[in-house]
Amino acid sequence: MIDWTTRATSADAAVSCVRSGMHVFVHGAAATPASLVDALSRRTDLADVTVYHLHTSGPAPFAAPEHEGRFFSVSLFAGPPVREAIAAGRADYIPIFLSDIPALFTSGRVQLDVALLQVSPPDPHGYCTLGTSVDTALAAANTARHVIAEVNEQMPRTHGNALLSFSRLEAFTCTDRPLAVHPPSVPSPVDDAIGESIAGLVPDRATLQMGIGAIPDAALRRLSGKHDLGIHTEMFSDGVVDLVEAGVVTNRFKRVHPGRIVTSFVIGTRRVYDFVHDNLFVEFYPCDHTNDTAVIRRNDHFVAINAALEIDLSGQVVADSIGFRIYSGIGGQMDFIRGAALSPGGIPIIALPSTAAGGRVSRIVPAINSGAGVVTTRGHVHWVVTEYGAVDLFGKTLRERAELLVGIAHPDFRAELRKAFAAVRHVVLPGHP
């Protein structure tokens, strides 16, 4: 292969193909091509450019107030840098299952003009990889008219369905910089209690899906005594590396991709990036595969661990918004909750602290807040875990659900919840004065 670096250009030159009115995809999470994002945001000659993205790492300058009219951010999963812009009306959000996003691009429903990616350097055969995030990026790379990349010497080379032909790159810039990191959380006593309850539900030989954050981290730390666990997930972080090194995760009993960790993206510290680099034990796939319920359900004893912002007494789960304010996205919660429910011996889990705002607000509520969106319906919910225990709502009546959920609410709010339920359902729950 020729010296590919001779074709490299500056980030500003690489994004010169972007024209007013175009649709631009930006690679997300640790794979956010920061140099290209910054260069694009410096373009003062552009107008009406729509930027499609999931959660990105680092600043999102294209969503800043001074760029209104030039760039319009559309989140497929909203992160901290764009929440204020969405709330202010300078940006927008598409509520969508993560598993459905690739089809947005491949079907042409959203026609991408440009894909801005961060990739690993090409190998001698002329192939880069999408590194730490394959998720929706592969579909974007395959359908965009112009593919522009930041080729980062420190981007891990990953296996699975992560390849991108170097010949597909219309232009690229070279960097040698560390990826954005997400350090492991420091658990609170509440996180530890929730993690303990979750770990108690996980049997040996289970296949796990988990997100990132204090509660998944707390649960993973308590699985060291388990045997032959498998991983089939949308994403993972450093906690999974601990379990692999301890011999807990072997993937021996998975029915789909046995012997391999399967994921769509990773984010964490340098440790997890080093772990996935050229590691045949880990396979990356687009999220329409990792999050396909028909694939998930084929693994026995599938345990899905997902977070929530609030849940009402009938079991409706809010996970992407706080009232009208968009906080994150639908992501893969419904995909994995349903897939786990259909798995033989599967255990779908929604986990949340019992309170928010420093204990002033109950997350278990009589009715969801005005404007909030239901991500997991009451027909799909099974296990709900707080620091006060774990309850299974599947097959339970409204009355039984309310009684169970009140039992794992914070004690300061239980009387209030019973009173509210009695006013609506005309039923007095046990413990109501």
Side-chain angles (χ1 to χ4, degrees), residues 332-396:
Q333 180 170 126
M334 266 294 298
D335 297 323
F336 282 100
I337 289 294
R338 186 59 179 158
L342 296 171
S343 159
I347 304 171
I349 299 171
I350 297 292
L352 71 167
S354 66
T355 63
R360 298 188 303 274
V361 176
S362 177
R363 289 180 183 261
I364 296 176
V365 294
I368 60 175
N369 286 324
S370 177
V374 173
V375 169
T376 295
T377 77
R378 54 193 175 194
H380 290 94
V381 73
H382 285 237
W383 285 92
V384 179
V385 180
T386 74
E387 69 270 29
Y388 293 100
V391 295
D392 186 1
L393 304 187
F394 182 67
K396 300 296 193 294

Side-chain angles (χ1 to χ4, degrees), residues 49-64:
V49 173
T50 304
V51 182
Y52 291 90
H53 58 90
L54 282 84
H55 177 277
T56 56
S57 293
F62 50 81

